[in-house]
Amino acid sequence: DAKTTQPPSMDCAEGRAANLPCNHSTISGNEYVYWYRQIHSQGPQYIIHGLKNNETNEMASLIITEDRKSSTLILPHATLRDTAVYYCIVRDPTDSWGKLQFGAGTQVVVTP
Amino acid sequence: SAVISQKPSRDICQRGTSLTIQCQVDSQVTMMFWYRQQPGQSLTLIATANQGSEATYESGFVIDKFPISRPNLTFSTLTVSNMSPEDSSIYLCSVDPTGLNYGYTFGSGTRLTVV
């Protein structure tokens, strides 16, 4: 069963902010939101994760709604190298097996 | 973050044969994960490999088809056995170098074509 829902694709202009939505209405209290991306012909790359507070790192910002049922990944200044499939994943980090389950993701195309 | 070396990077194999994929990590990790990515699809977890015990397979994957070895804390192999064209996929290994259940690192994958 899919725990997250993402739009299948979105376009973004180079230099503009890219806002990637993710719905996770059944998220439980122990589950975090993780974002990964996969550039063509490469393995997935970790971007960011959070529980309920907004998070920022050198790659992106993560905004989680107060009810935690949805979140938005923000790439503040998209570049052509940000073209990739972006995956939103929810999971409990105390899960002893530690495995990641990927959904379909959002294909982001950054155009000049 | 950990560095993963995955070999081979690609191969073209005859149906009915087997291919063993190697995954070498530059640090010791408790668990290693093997994924399959079929053409145009997302990643599907095949199994979790814990050193010193048998791998745990996800629904739809069996040990006879995808035997896994985990001889030490830095190395694992996945074998794709008795291959058919439907096995043509990218196979990736992954580790959690922090042990904190985030920041998983992935290998660059093995692109397998079965003819």
Side-chain angles (χ1 to χ4, degrees), chain B:
Chain B
S1 62
V3 176
I4 297 177
S5 174
Q6 193 171 332
K7 296 179 181 179
S9 59
R10 59 178 62 232
D11 208 341
I12 300 174
C13 300
Q14 297 291 323
R15 68 174 65 203
T17 64
S18 299
L19 176 71
T20 296
I21 301 167
Q22 299 180 3
C23 182
Q24 178 75 53
V25 190
D26 68 346
S27 59
Q28 294 184 343
V29 293
T30 302
M31 294 182 187
M32 298 179 77
F33 307 91
W34 286 98
Y35 287 84
R36 180 178 73 182
Q37 188 169 30
Q38 295 176 300
Q41 303 296 312
S42 183
L43 287 80
T44 300
L45 182 65
I46 297 172
T48 301
N50 200 0
Q51 193 269 336
S53 62
E54 282 196 6
T56 301
Y57 290 83
E58 298 298 304
S59 176
F61 298 95
V62 295
I63 188 171
D64 290 346
K65 176 67 176 178
F66 298 100
I68 289 172
S69 77
R70 184 77 202 277
N72 57 52
L73 292 174
T74 63
F75 187 78
S76 178
T77 67
L78 169 75
T79 298
V80 185
S81 303
N82 189 26
M83 288 183 286
S84 67
E86 292 71 33
D87 295 319
S88 297
S89 297
I90 299 173
Y91 293 85
L92 302 103
C93 67
S94 174
V95 301
D96 170 20
T98 67
L100 300 175
N101 282 324
Y102 74 91
Y104 286 72
T105 302
F106 286 78
S108 55
T110 296
R111 184 179 296 272
L112 171 63
T113 302
V114 183
V115 297

